[in-house]
Amino acid sequence: MEEKEIIKEVMAVKLQEGRWEVSEDFVIEEYTLKLYADGEFVREFNCTPLELEDLVVGGLFATGLIRRWEDVLSLDIDCSEGVARTSLAERLDDEETLRCPLNLDQTLLPKEEIFRMMEENLSQTELFDKTGGVHSVSLYDLCDRRRLIYRQDAARHNAVDKLLGCALRERRNLKESILVVSGRISGDIMDKARLAGIPVVLSKAAPTIQSVEKAQAAGITLVGFIRGFRMNIYAHPQRILLPDQVFGEISRIRRENEVIRGR
């Protein structure tokens, strides 16, 4: 479907600058897609009906049913019925791979690049410009900070699934990438980043305590509240180019906390 096909006009009573008026407004369509794998129901998406193949592949990945694009033997989407049917290869036991810590490399991100990536991710598309009703997510190369993939959806979880699905289909190296998100970072979004091996997650909004704890345990750099020229780093700041005194302060606070816990 094209963007223009999922934007609908409705009548709305608006208050603008102290004045009431009745006019047409644009809203985004919500679409229900049921996913089946090998005849078994997997989950239901309430989504924006764009890039549905990516959504299905990302959803299969997020639920642990596949690890790579080659695990999908067939994929068929019936838009009229709102059903996606897939057949999958037999899963191999790769739990040890999932438990391996992420490589903490020496790549450093300047704050200017973080601001630029977030600004680019938030650049308005026709969907957002007309409806204000979509989240945007981007995948960037960790080394040269080029944007590789951009996806959007009314639900931020779906947008991330679409991005991961596209990355799998294009065989991207997710372990050398940055995930940039317009919405709040919850624990389950951090789970998706961990499964994918993504080492850096950037968000315009707030994290939850669960996402911070999961980022700390997984070795993921988590940055939130990237707005204008401000940001908060919640986990693994060593990938951000910071003044030496900041790391000195971090070490001092950690030592003090260890003393308090040892009492």
Side-chain angles (χ1 to χ4, degrees):
M1 297 184 182
E2 296 181 0
E3 289 187 4
K4 63 182 181 182
E5 296 177 326
I6 60 175
I7 298 175
K8 308 296 182 182
E9 286 189 57
V10 299
M11 185 183 73
V13 181
K14 302 179 181 180
L15 176 62
Q16 300 185 36
E17 298 181 354
R19 298 181 58 183
W20 292 100
E21 62 177 41
V22 179
S23 64
E24 296 297 315
D25 198 15
F26 295 99
V27 297
I28 194 166
E29 179 182 349
E30 191 172 27
Y31 178 79
T32 300
L33 181 68
K34 295 180 180 179
L35 172 59
Y36 292 85
D38 298 318
E40 298 291 327
F41 176 76
V42 176
R43 59 173 296 185
E44 182 176 280
F45 301 96
N46 290 314
C47 60
T48 303
L50 292 171
E51 295 106 9
L52 294 180
E53 294 86 357
D54 291 340
L55 178 63
V56 168
V57 175
L60 291 169
F61 175 82
T63 52
L65 293 176
I66 65 170
R67 292 295 296 154
R68 56 195 65 82
W69 169 234
E70 288 76 11
D71 293 336
V72 181
L73 301 179
S74 67
L75 193 166
D76 178 71
I77 298 177
D78 188 327
C79 292
S80 62
E81 291 186 4
V83 174
R85 297 180 176 88
T86 65
S87 60
L88 308 178
E90 184 178 355
R91 276 288 309 278
L92 299 177
D93 186 8
D94 56 3
E95 289 302 312
E96 290 300 319
T97 300
L98 297 182
R99 285 198 291 268
C100 289
L102 295 173
N103 178 34
L104 299 180
D105 55 51
Q106 298 302 309
T107 301
L108 295 178
L109 295 174
K111 63 181 185 301
E112 293 81 8
E113 286 290 272
I114 294 174
F115 296 141
R116 179 190 63 79
M117 287 185 285
M118 182 57 66
E119 182 180 6
E120 186 175 35
N121 180 62
L122 297 176
S123 297
Q124 294 183 357
T125 63
E126 180 185 358
L127 275 179
F128 186 88
D129 192 34
K130 284 193 172 182
T131 69
V134 291
H135 285 284
S136 57
V137 299
S138 296
L139 189 75
Y140 284 82
D141 184 274
L142 181 60
C143 296
D144 61 17
R145 274 83 76 177
R146 289 181 300 111
R147 183 155 72 171
L148 306 173
I149 301 172
Y150 173 80
R151 289 293 181 265
Q152 55 190 341
D153 196 279
R156 65 189 191 281
H157 302 278
N158 291 340
V160 173
D161 284 346
K162 288 179 179 180
L163 181 144
L164 293 177
C166 179
L168 290 177
R169 295 173 70 192
E170 294 182 357
R171 297 172 177 82
R172 297 284 184 182
N173 183 359
L174 290 165
K175 293 183 179 180
E176 296 181 0
S177 63
I178 302 168
L179 175 63
V180 183
V181 183
S182 64
R184 180 172 56 88
I185 299 296
S186 56
D188 50 356
I189 287 184
M190 191 56 62
D191 284 336
K192 298 175 195 286
R194 179 187 64 83
L195 282 172
I198 295 174
V200 180
V201 176
L202 310 178
S203 173
K204 174 188 175 183
T208 64
I209 187 61
Q210 287 79 10
S211 69
V212 172
E213 291 173 347
K214 289 180 177 182
Q216 291 171 341
I220 298 174
T221 298
L222 173 59
V223 186
F225 287 109
I226 304 172
R227 303 176 183 180
F229 296 100
R230 53 173 288 215
M231 68 176 76
N232 295 348
I233 305 171
Y234 293 94
H236 295 282
Q238 65 269 25
R239 290 195 185 90
I240 311 299
L241 186 59
L242 299 171
D244 291 340
Q245 61 264 31
V246 173
F247 292 106
E249 182 70 5
I250 291 172
S251 298
R252 181 188 65 79
I253 293 173
R254 285 176 175 169
R255 288 194 300 269
E256 291 178 354
N257 289 338
E258 288 173 359
V259 170
I260 292 173
R261 285 195 296 268
R263 290 175 180 173

